[in-house]
Every structure is written in structure tokens, then in C-alpha cells.
Amino acid sequence: KDIMQGDNTQDIFNFIKSIKSNYPEDVKYDSVVNPFNYDKGLKDIDIKNINKKGSYVNIEYSKLQYQNIIKFSVDDVIVNLIIYTKDYLATNELKLIINRIYCMIKTFKSNITTNTINIYLYLYNCPRVITETYINSPDDFQGINDNDLFNCTNGYYRDSDNKILVTRLNTYKGLLTHELCHLCKLDFGGYSLFEMWDKDKVKYGEFKFSKFSEGINNAISSLIHSVFVSIEMDEDFDKIYYCEYKYSKDMVGNLLHYFKCDKINRLKECGYNQDGMVFEYVILRYVYLEFIDKLFHFRFEKEGKEKEYYLLFIKCLDQIADKEFKFNDKMIIKDTNTDINLVRMEYYLF
């Protein structure tokens, strides 16, 4: 998908250019590696079911063995980075993590209001999956959340103590970039912007947006993640971005397929209930990337045209609501224990 055409072409080009120009060659850092005490570490991580013995996430979390304590600075901002791993963390992998954090803070420093940032990465292997379709009823989707398979808490940015927490090894750099976008206020106003309006207006059909900005943030982090991946893999940006865009479209198709549905405007009648921001994370992210030439949002935010932007977003959503989305069967993962088809639903492709 060629994003370099349309209303915001120059804005997007300048945005990408600014990120690339601040990507560092070498960042000086201090690092110490300690053994990780699983039982003592439980109090440091507030993720649902992480303390529940035998749960999907707890089984893998308990396998972490090393605590990597890293400290570096970006101008006058101090970054305390703590990474928990099952195996020794390769130096090259650590540098890629540091480079992303450094670049985001350097590029968007004017949006950051603290001099100390604390980042925790718990890199245990827990793929995000759903069953190909619901088995008993659409309400099965709640069980997918409750069992930490998908649509469950994987990380957050908390501005009260300037803390970022990211869990799961799977596509973790994308999720880290997502949380850094919150830190850098790239999410079109954070959590509170749309509370100034009548809540009934912040919805689409029967679906209310609990956090409209999460869809914005998931999309802009996909763009930035694509920039980073293109640098890290020494690949053409357009190629990487197209793959992430296509993946976001496949996620919509896979989500609809789960509910035995093929159109967004049929989700409600197919039994989908909006809960936990799936509509924002999956569908709104795709809408943004599909219409990025119109929805690249920073100009609207700068000019104070939040309501105008929201109405434009809904207009774009209307254009694809009756469109048929296909299920991507290449994302099927066979569960050899139950012979049930599972479907890959990681937040990002790379």
C-alpha cells in the first residue's frame, strides 16, 4: 500500500524522516545481569493471572531466569530499563531495544514531561491466539480473554509514575513501541480527550468506544514499528509497512471469521459484544492504516479539530463497514492436543 499519496503526504513523509534521523548508531549504557527469583518477582508485575499457578501466562512466566538491569540517558532523560528473560539476552537484541527507546524519546522529547522513565519487559513466550470460530456460542470470546489467550492485558504506560510495562516475548518490540507512543503523547489526546463530548456520540452503531485513542495509538505505533523494522532488517520501508498494513486487514478478517461473520456492520447481529477495546485495537487500527492519507492525525490535533477528526474517522469507517473481509487460513496454528484450529492474533506481524 502506497502511503505517499493523498492529503497528508508531506506530513507523513516528514514524520518518518524525523524518526529515521534520530535513530542512533551507538548508545552508551550500563548493564548488570542478575539471577531472577521468580517467587520474589511476583509482586513487581501486576498482570492478570500472572500469579495464578498453572495459568497460561504463569507457566511461562515462571521459566524466566535472568534479570537484566540497564541504565542510559537521552539528553537529560534517565531511562531505567529492566528486562526479564529465560535465556541470556544477546547484546545485539539489547541494542535494538535501547535504540528504539532512545529514538522515540529523542524524536518526541518536547511531549515528555518527566526526567526519569522506568521500563519493564517480561519476555516469556505466550503466543496470542483465538480459535478459528467460536465453539459453543459467541460468548466463548470472553473465555479467550479470561484464559489470557487474546484481548487480555499485556502491558501499559502509567503516567503517575512514568512506568512502561510490556509482557510476552511475541512481537514485543511492537508492543513496546505502542507504549512508547503513549509516553510521547502520539495517541491523539490520551484517554480523556473524548470524554468532553456526550458519550453516546463516541460510538459506531451499537459499539461505544471506551478508549478511541487506543485505536489511534495502535495505528500510529504500527507505522513507527514499520520504520524501526525496516532499519533493523535493512529492508525497504514501503515493503515492511505494506506487510503490517496487510496484517492489520487480516486481523479484521480473522476476528469477523471467529464470529462467523464477514462484514463489520454485521458484527452485532453475529453476537459480538464490545468489551476490552477489541473494536479499537483491531478494527479502528485497520481503518486508520487504510485511510492514513486522510487520518494522519497530528494536524487535526494541533489545530484543535478533534470533533472534526472523529467525524471524518467515522466517515472512513462507514466506507468499509459493508465490505467483505476474508479469513486468512495461513494464520492457522494446529493445536495437536485438541485438534482445534487456533489462529495467530499477535498485535503486530514482525
Side-chain angles (χ1 to χ4, degrees), residues 20 24 34 36 50 69 99 172 176 192 260 272 294-295 326-327 333 341 348:
K20 287 184 174 181
N34 298 319
F36 175 54
I50 200 73
I69 302 175
N99 286 352
Y172 76 91
L176 171 62
S192 61
K260 303 179 182 179
Y272 172 75
K294 295 182 176 65
L295 295 177
K326 294 182 179 180
F327 171 63
I333 306 167
N341 283 347
Y348 303 89

Side-chain angles (χ1 to χ4, degrees), residues 29 60 71 85 93 121 130 162 205 210 234 265-266 276 287:
Y29 62 90
E60 296 303 319
K71 188 172 184 176
T85 58
E93 185 74 3
L121 308 182
I130 60 176
N162 303 304
S210 56
D234 194 23
N265 62 7
R266 292 192 60 243
V287 174

Side-chain angles (χ1 to χ4, degrees), residues 188 193-194 196-198 201-202 212 300-301 303-314:
F188 201 48
L193 176 64
F194 295 95
M196 68 181 72
W197 305 337
D198 179 352
K201 294 179 182 178
V202 189
F212 179 78
F300 290 87
E301 187 174 26
E303 296 174 2
K305 296 180 178 179
E306 291 89 354
K307 188 170 184 179
E308 178 183 318
Y309 181 80
Y310 169 75
L311 295 175
L312 174 61
F313 204 108
I314 296 304

Side-chain angles (χ1 to χ4, degrees), residues 220-315:
I220 202 65
S221 64
S222 297
L223 177 66
I224 297 174
H225 178 56
S226 297
V227 175
F228 286 141
V229 172
S230 69
I231 294 171
E232 293 160 359
M233 296 177 61
D234 194 23
E235 282 280 2
D236 180 66
F237 164 77
D238 290 341
K239 175 182 175 182
I240 298 297
Y241 174 76
Y242 176 79
C243 290
E244 283 292 344
Y245 154 77
K246 177 64 168 56
Y247 181 73
S248 75
K249 186 177 181 180
D250 287 339
M251 284 193 76
V252 176
N254 295 347
L255 178 66
L256 294 177
H257 184 75
Y258 174 87
F259 289 98
K260 303 179 182 179
C261 176
D262 60 0
K263 296 180 180 180
I264 293 170
N265 62 7
R266 292 192 60 243
L267 259 176
K268 187 67 176 180
E269 66 183 79
C270 291
Y272 172 75
N273 291 306
Q274 165 70 339
D275 183 39
M277 298 183 288
V278 173
F279 201 91
E280 289 91 333
Y281 282 126
V282 177
I283 294 177
L284 296 191
R285 188 260 292 266
Y286 165 68
V287 174
Y288 188 111
L289 297 181
E290 177 65 39
F291 297 97
I292 193 170
D293 58 315
K294 295 182 176 65
L295 295 177
F296 191 69
H297 62 281
F298 298 104
R299 174 169 55 84
F300 290 87
E301 187 174 26
K302 184 177 180 181
E303 296 174 2
K305 296 180 178 179
E306 291 89 354
K307 188 170 184 179
E308 178 183 318
Y309 181 80
Y310 169 75
L311 295 175
L312 174 61
F313 204 108
I314 296 304
K315 183 178 179 180

Side-chain angles (χ1 to χ4, degrees), residues 99-281:
N99 286 352
R100 285 200 182 207
I101 298 168
Y102 182 98
C103 182
M104 289 291 288
I105 295 173
K106 186 75 172 179
T107 305
F108 304 107
K109 189 171 181 297
S110 61
N111 294 344
I112 297 173
T113 56
T114 180
N115 290 324
T116 304
I117 299 167
N118 303 302
I119 302 176
Y120 298 82
L121 308 182
Y122 291 82
L123 303 185
Y124 51 84
N125 182 37
C126 273
R128 300 173 185 87
V129 294
I130 60 176
T131 54
E132 182 180 344
T133 61
Y134 62 78
I135 297 171
N136 299 308
S137 78
D139 293 338
D140 291 350
F141 201 65
Q142 184 61 48
I144 287 175
N145 176 303
D146 294 342
N147 291 311
D148 311 298
L149 299 175
F150 179 67
N151 189 33
C152 44
T153 304
N154 294 276
Y156 56 77
Y157 163 64
R158 191 167 62 199
D159 59 4
S160 60
D161 56 358
N162 303 304
K163 177 181 178 180
I164 286 176
L165 185 142
V166 170
T167 67
R168 304 200 185 203
L169 177 65
N170 320 79
T171 67
Y172 76 91
K173 293 192 192 74
L175 182 56
L176 171 62
T177 303
H178 174 102
E179 302 304 344
L180 287 167
C181 285
H182 282 311
L183 167 71
C184 297
K185 297 180 175 62
L186 305 183
D187 52 9
F188 201 48
Y191 299 115
S192 61
L193 176 64
F194 295 95
E195 293 177 3
M196 68 181 72
W197 305 337
D198 179 352
K199 284 188 178 296
D200 286 340
K201 294 179 182 178
V202 189
K203 66 179 186 177
Y204 185 73
E206 299 295 326
F207 304 127
K208 290 187 178 181
F209 301 148
S210 56
K211 292 178 181 176
F212 179 78
S213 60
E214 281 294 348
I216 308 296
N217 197 62
N218 224 25
I220 202 65
S221 64
S222 297
L223 177 66
I224 297 174
H225 178 56
S226 297
V227 175
F228 286 141
V229 172
S230 69
I231 294 171
E232 293 160 359
M233 296 177 61
D234 194 23
E235 282 280 2
D236 180 66
F237 164 77
D238 290 341
K239 175 182 175 182
I240 298 297
Y241 174 76
Y242 176 79
C243 290
E244 283 292 344
Y245 154 77
K246 177 64 168 56
Y247 181 73
S248 75
K249 186 177 181 180
D250 287 339
M251 284 193 76
V252 176
N254 295 347
L255 178 66
L256 294 177
H257 184 75
Y258 174 87
F259 289 98
K260 303 179 182 179
C261 176
D262 60 0
K263 296 180 180 180
I264 293 170
N265 62 7
R266 292 192 60 243
L267 259 176
K268 187 67 176 180
E269 66 183 79
C270 291
Y272 172 75
N273 291 306
Q274 165 70 339
D275 183 39
M277 298 183 288
V278 173
F279 201 91
E280 289 91 333
Y281 282 126

